[in-house]
Amino acid sequence: MIGGWNAFWNAWAAVRASDDLDPGPLETVAAPDVVDGVIALFEGQRSSGAGPVATEIALHPKVTETGSDRAALEDCVLLAPSFTDTAGVWYQADLTRTGDVWIVDALRIQTTGGCVPEEVAAAAIAGYEAYYAAEAEFWDPPTPDSQLLDAVLAEPQKSFIVGILEQHVASGVALRGQPTFHPEVIEVRSPTELVILSCNEPDPDFGLYDIDTGERLSDEPPVRDGQRDLQSAVMVFEGGSWKVADLQGQVDYACEFAPTDRGLPSV
């Protein structure tokens, strides 16, 4: 049955990339109503000026009902480029089996407002947390050539961090203090890029310290009681794992812990 779902999306991509929108590839894997709906979608795109589009597709199906000849599933399908404002589209589908072939005979969009596959969200958040675990190692003492940098960082963030670490080595200082984070995925840009937002609770001891004396320096303002910091992280899937490619933040910002309304539904 999952093979039938994969075959449908392979046909979907082939038709979208074709010059003439020949429905032939879809007709062997989907019911006529589903084929008509897909062709109507593509014709609408063509009428707005879009030509053939090659699509990167990532599937993460979950079977919700199953029987000998009928089944149902849902999937946060990641498309690049998407036909909506977000890469993730939440689909529900019914499939029937004829002989050894599973056919998609009903296809419904649960939401076009975005979604993230549960396993993708979990892996990306694990990558975000791995960055902080590694950060404690390469910031104190500052180690610009640490192998951990390659494990948790992608460009351009890696080069930015290496530059700061080199400055800290020259100044004889170390950055200390780990926040408590509350991350959630708020945007999926492609199957290999997404954005995490986290309302962090900073470590009360966060700051720069003189390595020789252990004295906390005044370069970083002290953390006030109840302070929260908002941080966004662009995560990219690179070399088999999710890595931090960009970090932006707002210090002492009124934010709410995840889950919030900004978080995407996990499917």
Side-chain angles (χ1 to χ4, degrees):
M1 185 261 291
I2 298 301
W5 184 240
N6 292 336
F8 168 77
W9 282 101
N10 287 336
W12 189 99
V15 175
R16 192 185 194 196
S18 68
D19 292 326
D20 56 2
L21 295 183
D22 177 6
L26 286 165
E27 291 173 342
T28 62
V29 294
D33 287 348
V34 175
V35 174
D36 290 345
V38 174
I39 295 301
L41 169 67
F42 294 158
E43 287 176 342
Q45 293 176 330
R46 297 289 171 94
S47 67
S48 64
V53 179
T55 312
E56 179 184 3
I57 300 176
L59 303 176
H60 305 82
K62 292 184 177 179
V63 177
T64 55
E65 296 179 29
T66 185
S68 59
D69 296 318
R70 296 191 63 83
L73 59 78
E74 62 180 0
D75 195 341
C76 179
V77 179
L78 303 184
L79 304 170
S82 180
F83 58 88
T84 69
D85 291 334
T86 177
V89 182
W90 185 354
Y91 283 96
Q92 293 179 330
D94 298 327
L95 294 90
T96 57
R97 186 171 66 176
T98 302
D100 294 330
V101 178
W102 284 91
I103 300 296
V104 176
D105 61 7
L107 189 66
R108 300 172 296 277
I109 295 179
Q110 181 71 8
T111 176
T112 59
C115 59
V116 58
E118 282 184 341
E119 57 266 45
V120 171
I125 287 173
Y128 177 78
E129 294 173 348
Y131 163 76
Y132 275 105
E135 183 185 64
E137 300 293 329
F138 58 69
W139 281 114
D140 186 17
T143 313
D145 59 353
S146 171
Q147 294 182 352
L148 291 174
L149 293 167
D150 287 325
V152 297
L153 288 168
E155 296 297 348
Q157 191 67 26
K158 179 188 170 184
S159 293
F160 176 72
I161 293 296
V162 168
I164 295 178
L165 289 169
E166 290 173 343
Q167 294 175 18
H168 285 188
V169 170
S171 301
V173 299
L175 185 67
R176 297 172 183 168
Q178 291 291 298
T180 299
F181 30 79
H182 304 271
E184 61 186 347
V185 177
I186 64 164
E187 181 184 357
V188 179
R189 295 178 176 175
S190 77
T192 57
E193 182 178 351
L194 55 77
V195 180
I196 286 174
L197 193 70
S198 182
C199 184
N200 292 342
E201 300 172 84
D203 188 328
D205 295 326
F206 173 80
L208 284 172
Y209 290 79
D210 185 286
I211 293 176
D212 291 334
T213 67
E215 178 185 0
R216 187 185 186 282
L217 307 180
S218 60
D219 299 61
E220 296 287 341
V223 175
R224 69 172 183 83
D225 290 342
Q227 179 175 320
R228 297 183 180 186
D229 299 337
L230 186 66
Q231 184 178 76
S232 65
V234 176
M235 307 293 297
V236 296
F237 191 73
E238 180 181 282
S241 63
W242 287 93
K243 302 178 182 181
V244 176
D246 183 69
L247 281 174
Q248 301 293 331
Q250 293 176 275
V251 176
D252 204 0
Y253 186 85
C255 56
E256 298 298 323
F257 298 148
T260 70
D261 291 342
R262 297 188 66 176
L264 292 177
S266 295
V267 180

